[in-house]
Amino acid sequence: MFYLRLNKIRIHSNGALLGRSELQLMSFVTLGEEDFPMLDEFYRTSDAQLKKQLVAQAVTKVISTRIIPQIQRVKDNQLIYFGDTGYNVFVNDTIPQDLNWMLLAIKSNQQMVDNAQLASEILTDKNLIKLVDAIALLASMTNPVTAAVSTLSTLIAQSVLKVCTQARDNQLGLYIASFVRQEHYPYGKRDAQDVPDTTGNMNVDYTIFGF
């Protein structure tokens, strides 16, 4: 078994001028190449329309992993705990060789859209062309599929944030990480505390545990 567990986070600024604000978390976890056979096909085909379809499948795969932990209203510099055991954002029957994790924190007073609506708002023709071009540039790399998965996660994060901005929501944090078993959890375990995110506004504590 394998678990990726979110233990706690700290939000430095809650995005409100005064008092508390509503916090929404979105967690996305994908494995490496085994989760994205469509990207192998992407690099084998020269059919432009098929490439767009394959990228759309990959985006939908990432979005389908979304988990939304429930968070109450938070104040500045608040530590947010997930019970005494943490919150499992990913569970797998076997220890994966690699995985990618994206944790997004948003100030929002609205109910989060479902995965189908989120996918439809991201997978516009303009966004698909951008995604196809970005992934195509990685073809000459030693392992283009692995690089494409990481790039895809970043681009999806940007797209999700754009959707949220259009809905007048504000980003409070974004943590993106790629793990390789041999380097990051060779014995099946990794504990990390107070890890800064990309925005400098959120710190994350998590545990990787496999047996």
Side-chain angles (χ1 to χ4, degrees):
M1 293 298 295
F2 178 86
Y3 303 88
L4 171 57
R5 184 174 300 138
L6 178 61
N7 296 320
K8 64 181 178 182
I9 63 172
R10 181 190 292 276
I11 299 294
H12 297 285
S13 171
N14 70 358
L17 293 177
L18 293 170
R20 298 172 181 263
S21 64
E22 298 284 349
L23 174 67
Q24 295 278 358
L25 286 180
M26 285 188 279
S27 174
F28 304 81
V29 178
T30 58
L31 303 183
E33 293 185 36
E34 63 186 273
D35 260 3
F36 295 92
M38 71 288 288
L39 293 179
D40 272 322
E41 188 175 354
F42 176 92
Y43 288 113
R44 290 197 302 266
T45 186
S46 58
D47 186 321
Q49 190 60 36
L50 179 57
K51 282 181 179 290
K52 288 173 66 174
Q53 294 173 7
L54 293 170
V55 169
Q57 291 174 21
V59 170
T60 302
K61 173 63 180 178
V62 174
I63 292 173
S64 71
T65 72
R66 183 174 65 157
I67 291 177
I68 309 176
Q70 294 298 313
I71 303 295
Q72 296 179 346
R73 293 169 62 85
V74 298
K75 59 184 179 181
D76 287 346
N77 294 311
Q78 182 167 339
L79 270 174
I80 302 165
Y81 293 89
F82 298 87
D84 59 350
T85 59
Y87 187 99
N88 290 328
V89 295
F90 180 72
V91 178
N92 202 48
D93 290 337
T94 58
I95 301 176
Q97 295 304 308
D98 52 23
L99 74 154
N100 302 283
W101 182 27
M102 177 170 64
L103 182 66
L104 181 62
I106 297 169
K107 172 182 172 288
S108 176
N109 296 317
Q110 307 178 70
Q111 183 176 356
M112 286 288 102
V113 300
D114 62 24
N115 287 351
Q117 184 178 345
L118 181 61
S120 69
E121 293 186 16
I122 291 176
L123 291 175
T124 64
D125 195 59
K126 181 179 179 180
N127 282 346
L128 270 177
I129 292 172
K130 178 181 177 182
L131 289 167
V132 167
D133 290 345
I135 292 174
L137 289 174
L138 306 172
S140 62
M141 298 189 68
T142 303
N143 196 332
V145 173
T146 298
V149 173
S150 180
T151 298
L152 191 64
S153 296
T154 302
L155 292 173
I156 289 174
Q158 293 171 353
S159 296
V160 171
L161 289 172
K162 185 176 180 179
V163 169
C164 293
T165 300
Q166 290 170 347
R168 297 185 179 180
D169 297 332
N170 297 319
Q171 177 186 354
L172 296 181
L174 175 62
Y175 178 69
I176 298 180
S178 294
F179 303 99
V180 177
R181 179 177 182 178
Q182 187 174 359
E183 180 180 359
H184 299 116
Y185 49 96
Y187 304 107
K189 187 172 182 179
R190 178 183 179 88
D191 273 309
Q193 292 83 37
D194 208 31
V195 182
D197 76 334
T198 60
T199 70
N201 193 50
M202 181 173 73
N203 290 71
V204 180
D205 286 25
Y206 66 86
T207 297
I208 288 175
F209 181 67
F211 60 91

